[in-house]
Amino acid sequence: MKIEKYKIDRKCNARMRDYDPSDKAGLKRKEVENELMPKNLARMAELQGALYAENRRGIVVVLQAMDAAGKDGLIKHVFTALNPQGTQVTPFKQPTEEELDHDYLWRVVQALPRRGNIGIFNRSHYEDVLVTRVHNLLAVQQIPQNLVDDHIWERRFEEIRNFEAYLHHNGFRVVKFFLHMSKDEQKKRLLSRIDREDKNWKFTESDVSEREYWGEYQKAYEDLLSNTSTENAPWYVIPANHKWFSRYLVSEIFVRVLEDMDPKYPELPEEEKSHLAHWRSVLEQDD
C-alpha cells in the first residue's frame, strides 16, 4: 500500500479539496478487518516490546480532527493493541487556569513519554494554532498583547517545528495524523449521538455550534499542515469517512514507523551470558 499519497509534502500548499475523505485505497472492509488489521496489530505489539526493552527512544503520536472524526475509536481499536505499561494516552481539553499561566507548550511537555514508551496525544499543542486562532482566544489570554501581531501564527509554526525537531534530536519520533472527515459525515455522526441512547453522553452543544466555523477550521488546518509537516515530524491526512479504513491506515503507517526505527532487544554482556548455564543448573536442581 502506498502511504506517501497521504503524507503532506512541506514543499506543497495543503488543500483539503485535494484529499478525498471517503477514500478506501481500493480495499474491502472484510479483507481489512479479517486479515490486514489483525496482522498490523500483532506487528505493532511485537515491535513495541523491543522498543520498551531497548529503552533508548520513544514515539509521540499526535491525533487531530474535527469533532466526531473518530479519534477516540481509533485509539480504542488501534493503540490498545499496545502494552499499556509502555503507552500513555493524554487528552488535551480546554486549558486550565494553571496551564494558561504558562507558555502554550508547557502542558504538552508534561505529557511527553519516557524513553521506551509511546505517548498518544488526543488533540495536542496544535490546538493553540487551531481553536485559539479560529476563536481569537489570544485576546483574552495572559499573553502580552504587544506580542499578538500579524506574525504570531508564523512564529508559532516555527516554534512548533523547532520543538518537534528538538524531540527528534533527542530520540523521540513524532508522527502526526489528521483525520479528514466531510461535513456531511460529521452531521450523520452527530445525529447518531442524539438518536442513540448509548451515545448521548458523547453529545455536547458545542459539537453543533462549532460547525458554524467549519470553513475557518479547514483553512486553519491547511495552514498548519503546510507549515508544520517536516521530514522528521510529518503530517498524514487520513480519510476518515470510513472508520475501518482510517483505523487500518493509521495502523499501517505506525507499523512502518516502528519498522523504520528497528528497535532491538538488548543483549546481555558476555560475562552475564557465561553465568546463564550456572543459573539454569541452580533452578533445575531447585526442589
Side-chain angles (χ1 to χ4, degrees), residues 14-57:
R15 293 290 180 264
M16 291 298 100
R17 64 175 179 265
D18 296 332
Y19 296 90
D20 179 8
S22 293
D23 181 22
K24 297 180 285 187
L27 296 172
K28 302 296 184 182
R29 180 171 183 171
K30 185 176 181 180
E31 176 190 13
V32 166
E33 293 184 338
N34 294 342
E35 300 176 25
L36 301 178
M37 191 68 170
K39 180 180 178 181
N40 276 356
L41 298 184
R43 183 64 172 150
M44 283 169 55
E46 175 187 359
L47 290 165
Q48 185 212 10
L51 182 74
Y52 184 81
E54 183 186 73
N55 197 36
R56 290 183 178 274
R57 296 171 291 174

Side-chain angles (χ1 to χ4, degrees), residues 60-64 90-93 95 103-109 111-112 119 121-133 153 156-165 167 174-176 224 228 233 235:
V60 176
V61 177
V62 172
L63 300 176
Q64 288 287 158
T90 305
F92 289 95
K93 301 181 180 180
D103 64 274
Y104 71 95
L105 290 175
W106 180 82
R107 65 174 183 165
V108 177
V109 172
L112 290 173
F121 291 174
N122 187 342
R123 302 190 188 276
S124 65
H125 43 297
Y126 284 96
E127 291 295 283
D128 287 281
V129 289
L130 285 168
V131 178
T132 301
R133 185 176 188 177
W153 305 118
R156 287 202 168 184
F157 291 148
E158 181 180 10
E159 290 160 358
I160 289 172
R161 290 195 302 269
N162 290 338
F163 171 61
E164 293 174 350
L167 293 176
V174 181
V175 57
K176 302 172 294 194
L224 79 84
T228 61
W235 273 107

Side-chain angles (χ1 to χ4, degrees), residues 130-160:
L130 285 168
V131 178
T132 301
R133 185 176 188 177
V134 169
H135 291 285
N136 193 28
L137 297 181
L138 290 178
V140 296
Q141 292 181 358
Q142 287 100 312
I143 184 171
Q145 289 306 295
N146 66 298
L147 298 179
V148 183
D149 56 26
D150 293 339
H151 302 289
I152 188 167
W153 305 118
E154 287 81 0
R155 288 200 301 273
R156 287 202 168 184
F157 291 148
E158 181 180 10
E159 290 160 358
I160 289 172

